Amino acid sequence: QTNSISLTPLSAYLRRQGVAEEHNFYTFNQESSCCPINNSPQDVQCSLFEFQSVTEEEVGKIIRSLPSNKAPGLDKVTARVLKDSLPTTLFAITNPVNTSFSSNTFARAWKLAEVIPLVKSGDADKPSNTRPISLLPIMSKVCERAAHSQFANFLEQNENIAKLQNGNRKLHSTETALLYFTDEILKNMDDKKVSVIVLLDMSKAFDSVCHDLMLSKLCRIGVSNAACNWFGSYLSQRNQIVNIANCISDPLPLSVGVPQGSILGPVLFTLYVNDLLSVPKHCQAMGQISDAVIALNKDLSHIATWCCMNSLLINPDKTKLLVIGVPQLMRTLPSIPLVKLLGKEIEPVTVTKDLGVMIDSFLSYN
């Protein structure tokens, strides 16, 4: 009797392997279109930023502050392991961090991300139905925390981040952004004016950051050449793999974007879009809504141009237009002239979600 061999487990494994590869290409499919840029500092009025060596005490404090419940990266070393090994391992952990700063390089082993696709809804095999979670090695988090602490102090002391920017600033958050937004609209309501709001949506914004432009912007705010080299090393030569049910894809090089799931990624992205806030020039209080829409269209055109120059993609289909005012004024409001973005008309809505809060045309927050 001939023994039969079941190929079902192998077939299932190969299928999951194929799905993992598909997810890997889906989660990152951008190509860098940036040209090399001269990274010379321009109009710097402050001392240049340089990374300083950290002490074992500082590193110990960083390790103790790491959340113990976070999933580990591909190395499977958890924050709990580092915490339990203190203080014996402090020198062994501090030394590579200081070596990174002194050599202006970010270790290659710290730049491999493990991506776990979490199913949102529908068919789990389709990448569009999942939300990718990026996991980085624990030593990457330690080094980034040390770098972030020094860099954030520099940004705060020199006021490099725009005042209207609420992300990644001390004592600022989505709450302060909503407070400012609400206050401005309420002032207009008190003055018997309506507010025309456009909520822009950017597709894969973190994944689209051009490294050359990022480094150029860092140099312009006073980051030294040595520190720029460190940031360049931090951003470059990154790879990611996708893990689906322990089936791991081949590594995929990441040529653009800031690292997802990282400590420095959000603050770098904030700096990348920092000058976007200065692009609108025409939107201001106007007597007629038609005049306001004309000004709005001009500014949207300038914003679209800025995004194109900075390799960021606006999604007009997900961009929302909301007109807010008191009920009495809204009832007498004439039809709104066309508001266009990238040649597409933005459909007005009566309610939309912004920063986790539902906002309607009367600012009722119901």
PDB file of all heavy atoms in Angstrom, residues 89-113:
ATOM      1  N   THR A  89      22.633  45.450  32.809  1.00  0.00           N
ATOM      2  CA  THR A  89      22.853  45.635  31.372  1.00  0.00           C
ATOM      3  C   THR A  89      22.957  47.101  30.953  1.00  0.00           C
ATOM      4  O   THR A  89      23.030  47.387  29.754  1.00  0.00           O
ATOM      5  CB  THR A  89      21.695  44.986  30.590  1.00  0.00           C
ATOM      6  OG1 THR A  89      20.450  45.565  31.032  1.00  0.00           O
ATOM      7  CG2 THR A  89      21.662  43.485  30.801  1.00  0.00           C
ATOM      8  N   LEU A  90      22.954  48.014  31.904  1.00  0.00           N
ATOM      9  CA  LEU A  90      22.917  49.433  31.543  1.00  0.00           C
ATOM     10  C   LEU A  90      24.088  49.845  30.653  1.00  0.00           C
ATOM     11  O   LEU A  90      23.909  50.567  29.666  1.00  0.00           O
ATOM     12  CB  LEU A  90      22.896  50.301  32.802  1.00  0.00           C
ATOM     13  CG  LEU A  90      21.516  50.816  33.233  1.00  0.00           C
ATOM     14  CD1 LEU A  90      21.630  51.678  34.465  1.00  0.00           C
ATOM     15  CD2 LEU A  90      20.842  51.570  32.101  1.00  0.00           C
ATOM     16  N   PHE A  91      25.284  49.403  30.984  1.00  0.00           N
ATOM     17  CA  PHE A  91      26.444  49.774  30.168  1.00  0.00           C
ATOM     18  C   PHE A  91      26.311  49.214  28.755  1.00  0.00           C
ATOM     19  O   PHE A  91      26.577  49.908  27.765  1.00  0.00           O
ATOM     20  CB  PHE A  91      27.741  49.270  30.802  1.00  0.00           C
ATOM     21  CG  PHE A  91      28.950  49.496  29.930  1.00  0.00           C
ATOM     22  CD1 PHE A  91      29.542  50.746  29.857  1.00  0.00           C
ATOM     23  CD2 PHE A  91      29.476  48.460  29.158  1.00  0.00           C
ATOM     24  CE1 PHE A  91      30.646  50.965  29.029  1.00  0.00           C
ATOM     25  CE2 PHE A  91      30.574  48.667  28.338  1.00  0.00           C
ATOM     26  CZ  PHE A  91      31.159  49.926  28.272  1.00  0.00           C
ATOM     27  N   ALA A  92      25.881  47.959  28.662  1.00  0.00           N
ATOM     28  CA  ALA A  92      25.761  47.309  27.353  1.00  0.00           C
ATOM     29  C   ALA A  92      24.690  47.963  26.487  1.00  0.00           C
ATOM     30  O   ALA A  92      24.754  47.895  25.254  1.00  0.00           O
ATOM     31  CB  ALA A  92      25.440  45.825  27.538  1.00  0.00           C
ATOM     32  N   ILE A  93      23.711  48.609  27.112  1.00  0.00           N
ATOM     33  CA  ILE A  93      22.655  49.287  26.355  1.00  0.00           C
ATOM     34  C   ILE A  93      23.057  50.727  26.041  1.00  0.00           C
ATOM     35  O   ILE A  93      22.815  51.229  24.938  1.00  0.00           O
ATOM     36  CB  ILE A  93      21.325  49.258  27.145  1.00  0.00           C
ATOM     37  CG1 ILE A  93      20.854  47.814  27.326  1.00  0.00           C
ATOM     38  CG2 ILE A  93      20.257  50.084  26.435  1.00  0.00           C
ATOM     39  CD1 ILE A  93      19.654  47.673  28.242  1.00  0.00           C
ATOM     40  N   THR A  94      23.690  51.388  26.995  1.00  0.00           N
ATOM     41  CA  THR A  94      24.073  52.794  26.808  1.00  0.00           C
ATOM     42  C   THR A  94      25.161  52.945  25.755  1.00  0.00           C
ATOM     43  O   THR A  94      25.148  53.894  24.956  1.00  0.00           O
ATOM     44  CB  THR A  94      24.559  53.399  28.138  1.00  0.00           C
ATOM     45  OG1 THR A  94      23.549  53.222  29.132  1.00  0.00           O
ATOM     46  CG2 THR A  94      24.885  54.875  27.988  1.00  0.00           C
ATOM     47  N   ASN A  95      26.098  52.021  25.732  1.00  0.00           N
ATOM     48  CA  ASN A  95      27.240  52.127  24.825  1.00  0.00           C
ATOM     49  C   ASN A  95      26.836  52.199  23.350  1.00  0.00           C
ATOM     50  O   ASN A  95      27.304  53.087  22.623  1.00  0.00           O
ATOM     51  CB  ASN A  95      28.204  50.960  25.056  1.00  0.00           C
ATOM     52  CG  ASN A  95      29.495  51.125  24.282  1.00  0.00           C
ATOM     53  OD1 ASN A  95      30.158  52.152  24.377  1.00  0.00           O
ATOM     54  ND2 ASN A  95      29.849  50.120  23.491  1.00  0.00           N
ATOM     55  N   PRO A  96      25.963  51.310  22.844  1.00  0.00           N
ATOM     56  CA  PRO A  96      25.580  51.429  21.426  1.00  0.00           C
ATOM     57  C   PRO A  96      24.783  52.695  21.116  1.00  0.00           C
ATOM     58  O   PRO A  96      24.850  53.201  19.991  1.00  0.00           O
ATOM     59  CB  PRO A  96      24.747  50.167  21.173  1.00  0.00           C
ATOM     60  CG  PRO A  96      24.369  49.648  22.506  1.00  0.00           C
ATOM     61  CD  PRO A  96      25.439  50.071  23.449  1.00  0.00           C
ATOM     62  N   VAL A  97      24.050  53.215  22.088  1.00  0.00           N
ATOM     63  CA  VAL A  97      23.326  54.471  21.865  1.00  0.00           C
ATOM     64  C   VAL A  97      24.321  55.609  21.664  1.00  0.00           C
ATOM     65  O   VAL A  97      24.206  56.407  20.722  1.00  0.00           O
ATOM     66  CB  VAL A  97      22.379  54.780  23.042  1.00  0.00           C
ATOM     67  CG1 VAL A  97      21.769  56.172  22.887  1.00  0.00           C
ATOM     68  CG2 VAL A  97      21.279  53.730  23.132  1.00  0.00           C
ATOM     69  N   ASN A  98      25.323  55.684  22.527  1.00  0.00           N
ATOM     70  CA  ASN A  98      26.334  56.735  22.388  1.00  0.00           C
ATOM     71  C   ASN A  98      27.188  56.532  21.140  1.00  0.00           C
ATOM     72  O   ASN A  98      27.608  57.507  20.502  1.00  0.00           O
ATOM     73  CB  ASN A  98      27.219  56.778  23.636  1.00  0.00           C
ATOM     74  CG  ASN A  98      26.523  57.457  24.806  1.00  0.00           C
ATOM     75  OD1 ASN A  98      25.692  58.341  24.616  1.00  0.00           O
ATOM     76  ND2 ASN A  98      26.849  57.029  26.023  1.00  0.00           N
ATOM     77  N   THR A  99      27.440  55.287  20.792  1.00  0.00           N
ATOM     78  CA  THR A  99      28.176  55.017  19.551  1.00  0.00           C
ATOM     79  C   THR A  99      27.383  55.505  18.343  1.00  0.00           C
ATOM     80  O   THR A  99      27.943  56.042  17.381  1.00  0.00           O
ATOM     81  CB  THR A  99      28.462  53.510  19.413  1.00  0.00           C
ATOM     82  OG1 THR A  99      29.262  53.083  20.519  1.00  0.00           O
ATOM     83  CG2 THR A  99      29.194  53.208  18.116  1.00  0.00           C
ATOM     84  N   SER A 100      26.076  55.333  18.399  1.00  0.00           N
ATOM     85  CA  SER A 100      25.213  55.816  17.321  1.00  0.00           C
ATOM     86  C   SER A 100      25.336  57.330  17.171  1.00  0.00           C
ATOM     87  O   SER A 100      25.491  57.846  16.053  1.00  0.00           O
ATOM     88  CB  SER A 100      23.758  55.430  17.609  1.00  0.00           C
ATOM     89  OG  SER A 100      22.876  55.998  16.660  1.00  0.00           O
ATOM     90  N   PHE A 101      25.299  58.051  18.288  1.00  0.00           N
ATOM     91  CA  PHE A 101      25.382  59.512  18.237  1.00  0.00           C
ATOM     92  C   PHE A 101      26.770  59.992  17.799  1.00  0.00           C
ATOM     93  O   PHE A 101      26.886  60.946  17.025  1.00  0.00           O
ATOM     94  CB  PHE A 101      25.037  60.110  19.599  1.00  0.00           C
ATOM     95  CG  PHE A 101      23.591  59.966  19.987  1.00  0.00           C
ATOM     96  CD1 PHE A 101      23.206  60.010  21.321  1.00  0.00           C
ATOM     97  CD2 PHE A 101      22.612  59.788  19.027  1.00  0.00           C
ATOM     98  CE1 PHE A 101      21.872  59.879  21.684  1.00  0.00           C
ATOM     99  CE2 PHE A 101      21.276  59.654  19.375  1.00  0.00           C
ATOM    100  CZ  PHE A 101      20.906  59.702  20.710  1.00  0.00           C
ATOM    101  N   SER A 102      27.812  59.344  18.289  1.00  0.00           N
ATOM    102  CA  SER A 102      29.169  59.801  17.969  1.00  0.00           C
ATOM    103  C   SER A 102      29.573  59.471  16.536  1.00  0.00           C
ATOM    104  O   SER A 102      30.362  60.190  15.920  1.00  0.00           O
ATOM    105  CB  SER A 102      30.177  59.186  18.948  1.00  0.00           C
ATOM    106  OG  SER A 102      30.192  57.770  18.835  1.00  0.00           O
ATOM    107  N   SER A 103      29.026  58.386  15.995  1.00  0.00           N
ATOM    108  CA  SER A 103      29.368  57.983  14.625  1.00  0.00           C
ATOM    109  C   SER A 103      28.366  58.493  13.597  1.00  0.00           C
ATOM    110  O   SER A 103      28.539  58.274  12.394  1.00  0.00           O
ATOM    111  CB  SER A 103      29.452  56.458  14.540  1.00  0.00           C
ATOM    112  OG  SER A 103      28.181  55.873  14.808  1.00  0.00           O
ATOM    113  N   ASN A 104      27.297  59.141  14.080  1.00  0.00           N
ATOM    114  CA  ASN A 104      26.247  59.677  13.193  1.00  0.00           C
ATOM    115  C   ASN A 104      25.611  58.590  12.337  1.00  0.00           C
ATOM    116  O   ASN A 104      25.281  58.803  11.165  1.00  0.00           O
ATOM    117  CB  ASN A 104      26.812  60.787  12.289  1.00  0.00           C
ATOM    118  CG  ASN A 104      27.432  61.914  13.081  1.00  0.00           C
ATOM    119  OD1 ASN A 104      26.874  62.355  14.078  1.00  0.00           O
ATOM    120  ND2 ASN A 104      28.607  62.364  12.657  1.00  0.00           N
ATOM    121  N   THR A 105      25.451  57.425  12.930  1.00  0.00           N
ATOM    122  CA  THR A 105      24.812  56.314  12.215  1.00  0.00           C
ATOM    123  C   THR A 105      23.781  55.648  13.117  1.00  0.00           C
ATOM    124  O   THR A 105      23.937  55.612  14.339  1.00  0.00           O
ATOM    125  CB  THR A 105      25.837  55.250  11.776  1.00  0.00           C
ATOM    126  OG1 THR A 105      26.555  54.785  12.924  1.00  0.00           O
ATOM    127  CG2 THR A 105      26.806  55.815  10.749  1.00  0.00           C
ATOM    128  N   PHE A 106      22.741  55.140  12.485  1.00  0.00           N
ATOM    129  CA  PHE A 106      21.703  54.396  13.191  1.00  0.00           C
ATOM    130  C   PHE A 106      21.848  52.936  12.789  1.00  0.00           C
ATOM    131  O   PHE A 106      21.842  52.608  11.600  1.00  0.00           O
ATOM    132  CB  PHE A 106      20.320  54.929  12.809  1.00  0.00           C
ATOM    133  CG  PHE A 106      19.212  54.507  13.729  1.00  0.00           C
ATOM    134  CD1 PHE A 106      19.029  55.132  14.951  1.00  0.00           C
ATOM    135  CD2 PHE A 106      18.342  53.484  13.372  1.00  0.00           C
ATOM    136  CE1 PHE A 106      17.995  54.760  15.803  1.00  0.00           C
ATOM    137  CE2 PHE A 106      17.316  53.097  14.213  1.00  0.00           C
ATOM    138  CZ  PHE A 106      17.141  53.735  15.433  1.00  0.00           C
ATOM    139  N   ALA A 107      22.000  52.065  13.773  1.00  0.00           N
ATOM    140  CA  ALA A 107      22.340  50.663  13.510  1.00  0.00           C
ATOM    141  C   ALA A 107      21.367  50.012  12.526  1.00  0.00           C
ATOM    142  O   ALA A 107      20.151  50.182  12.627  1.00  0.00           O
ATOM    143  CB  ALA A 107      22.356  49.879  14.818  1.00  0.00           C
ATOM    144  N   ARG A 108      21.912  49.279  11.578  1.00  0.00           N
ATOM    145  CA  ARG A 108      21.101  48.612  10.550  1.00  0.00           C
ATOM    146  C   ARG A 108      20.104  47.639  11.180  1.00  0.00           C
ATOM    147  O   ARG A 108      18.962  47.509  10.716  1.00  0.00           O
ATOM    148  CB  ARG A 108      22.043  47.870   9.596  1.00  0.00           C
ATOM    149  CG  ARG A 108      21.401  47.341   8.320  1.00  0.00           C
ATOM    150  CD  ARG A 108      21.212  48.446   7.311  1.00  0.00           C
ATOM    151  NE  ARG A 108      20.692  47.944   6.046  1.00  0.00           N
ATOM    152  CZ  ARG A 108      21.455  47.639   5.001  1.00  0.00           C
ATOM    153  NH1 ARG A 108      22.776  47.777   5.076  1.00  0.00           N
ATOM    154  NH2 ARG A 108      20.920  47.214   3.873  1.00  0.00           N
ATOM    155  N   ALA A 109      20.526  46.968  12.244  1.00  0.00           N
ATOM    156  CA  ALA A 109      19.658  45.972  12.884  1.00  0.00           C
ATOM    157  C   ALA A 109      18.429  46.607  13.519  1.00  0.00           C
ATOM    158  O   ALA A 109      17.437  45.919  13.776  1.00  0.00           O
ATOM    159  CB  ALA A 109      20.443  45.196  13.937  1.00  0.00           C
ATOM    160  N   TRP A 110      18.499  47.910  13.791  1.00  0.00           N
ATOM    161  CA  TRP A 110      17.373  48.602  14.421  1.00  0.00           C
ATOM    162  C   TRP A 110      16.359  49.105  13.398  1.00  0.00           C
ATOM    163  O   TRP A 110      15.353  49.708  13.774  1.00  0.00           O
ATOM    164  CB  TRP A 110      17.878  49.793  15.242  1.00  0.00           C
ATOM    165  CG  TRP A 110      18.846  49.440  16.332  1.00  0.00           C
ATOM    166  CD1 TRP A 110      19.111  48.191  16.821  1.00  0.00           C
ATOM    167  CD2 TRP A 110      19.680  50.341  17.063  1.00  0.00           C
ATOM    168  NE1 TRP A 110      20.056  48.253  17.814  1.00  0.00           N
ATOM    169  CE2 TRP A 110      20.434  49.571  17.991  1.00  0.00           C
ATOM    170  CE3 TRP A 110      19.874  51.720  17.044  1.00  0.00           C
ATOM    171  CZ2 TRP A 110      21.346  50.129  18.868  1.00  0.00           C
ATOM    172  CZ3 TRP A 110      20.784  52.289  17.919  1.00  0.00           C
ATOM    173  CH2 TRP A 110      21.514  51.499  18.824  1.00  0.00           C
ATOM    174  N   LYS A 111      16.633  48.883  12.126  1.00  0.00           N
ATOM    175  CA  LYS A 111      15.807  49.487  11.072  1.00  0.00           C
ATOM    176  C   LYS A 111      14.930  48.483  10.328  1.00  0.00           C
ATOM    177  O   LYS A 111      14.385  48.803   9.274  1.00  0.00           O
ATOM    178  CB  LYS A 111      16.709  50.237  10.078  1.00  0.00           C
ATOM    179  CG  LYS A 111      17.427  51.420  10.712  1.00  0.00           C
ATOM    180  CD  LYS A 111      18.083  52.336   9.691  1.00  0.00           C
ATOM    181  CE  LYS A 111      19.402  51.816   9.205  1.00  0.00           C
ATOM    182  NZ  LYS A 111      20.113  52.826   8.377  1.00  0.00           N
ATOM    183  N   LEU A 112      14.789  47.283  10.865  1.00  0.00           N
ATOM    184  CA  LEU A 112      13.921  46.281  10.242  1.00  0.00           C
ATOM    185  C   LEU A 112      12.593  46.237  10.988  1.00  0.00           C
ATOM    186  O   LEU A 112      12.545  45.920  12.178  1.00  0.00           O
ATOM    187  CB  LEU A 112      14.580  44.902  10.258  1.00  0.00           C
ATOM    188  CG  LEU A 112      13.747  43.751   9.673  1.00  0.00           C
ATOM    189  CD1 LEU A 112      13.399  44.023   8.209  1.00  0.00           C
ATOM    190  CD2 LEU A 112      14.483  42.424   9.813  1.00  0.00           C
ATOM    191  N   ALA A 113      11.521  46.575  10.292  1.00  0.00           N
ATOM    192  CA  ALA A 113      10.188  46.611  10.900  1.00  0.00           C
ATOM    193  C   ALA A 113       9.411  45.344  10.571  1.00  0.00           C
ATOM    194  O   ALA A 113       9.465  44.842   9.445  1.00  0.00           O
ATOM    195  CB  ALA A 113       9.416  47.833  10.403  1.00  0.00           C
TER     196      ALA A 113
END
